[in-house]
Amino acid sequence: MFPVNIQRHDVIRNTVFRLRTKEGDYIHAEYTAKIGFDEEGNFLRTHCVFQDITERITTEEALEESEEQYKAIFNSSLNAILVTDDLGKYTAVNKAATETLRVFRKRDALHECG
């Protein structure tokens, strides 16, 4: 992918892929590349910047898993859960709250998490 992709475009930005290190571990890398041409349009050089983004990818995956767990608990709880913003406006209400309190309706711009 890498060599073919850059030959077809002048600039490649923020392309993410996995690399295997010489120790045998895998990392997530992001690269940005630009191909240099001379005045006649002939290839001169390629400029590439690689960045190890393994920690960022790992953090994003953990956050996504945590959000899924939160949504599952929020939506399946038998207890009424109401979430408000700093002004006291309800931003989320679970199904148990709508059934238990019978105050909120779907059309009231309140939503179940997810």
Side-chain angles (χ1 to χ4, degrees):
M1 172 187 127
F2 171 71
V4 173
N5 201 8
I6 196 160
Q7 290 173 9
R8 293 186 188 151
H9 305 284
D10 287 347
V11 178
I12 304 296
R13 289 190 174 91
N14 306 324
T15 301
V16 178
F17 55 96
R18 282 180 19 146
L19 290 175
R20 188 171 183 182
T21 66
K22 63 183 176 181
E23 293 81 19
D25 300 320
Y26 286 92
I27 64 169
H28 293 276
E30 179 177 74
Y31 85 97
T32 298
K34 180 173 179 161
I35 195 163
F37 300 97
D38 64 16
E39 298 80 31
E40 286 116 33
N42 298 312
F43 172 81
L44 280 178
R45 69 185 73 79
T46 303
H47 303 277
C48 298
V49 177
F50 291 85
Q51 182 176 4
D52 181 351
I53 60 166
T54 305
E55 187 174 333
R56 183 182 90 194
I57 296 294
T58 303
T59 301
E60 289 172 354
E61 289 171 349
L63 177 61
E64 186 176 314
E65 183 178 326
S66 175
E67 288 173 345
E68 289 174 9
Q69 290 174 350
Y70 168 79
K71 289 175 186 178
I73 293 168
F74 183 90
N75 291 327
S76 65
S77 177
L78 299 177
N79 296 315
I81 302 173
L82 300 96
V83 180
T84 62
D85 63 15
D86 293 340
L87 301 174
K89 181 180 177 184
Y90 293 104
T91 58
V93 177
N94 72 347
K95 185 176 180 182
T98 60
E99 292 173 354
T100 303
L101 302 177
R102 301 206 187 278
V103 176
F104 303 102
R105 296 173 300 214
K106 294 275 185 187
R107 64 186 170 109
D108 289 333
L110 299 171
H111 61 277
E112 291 181 21
C113 185

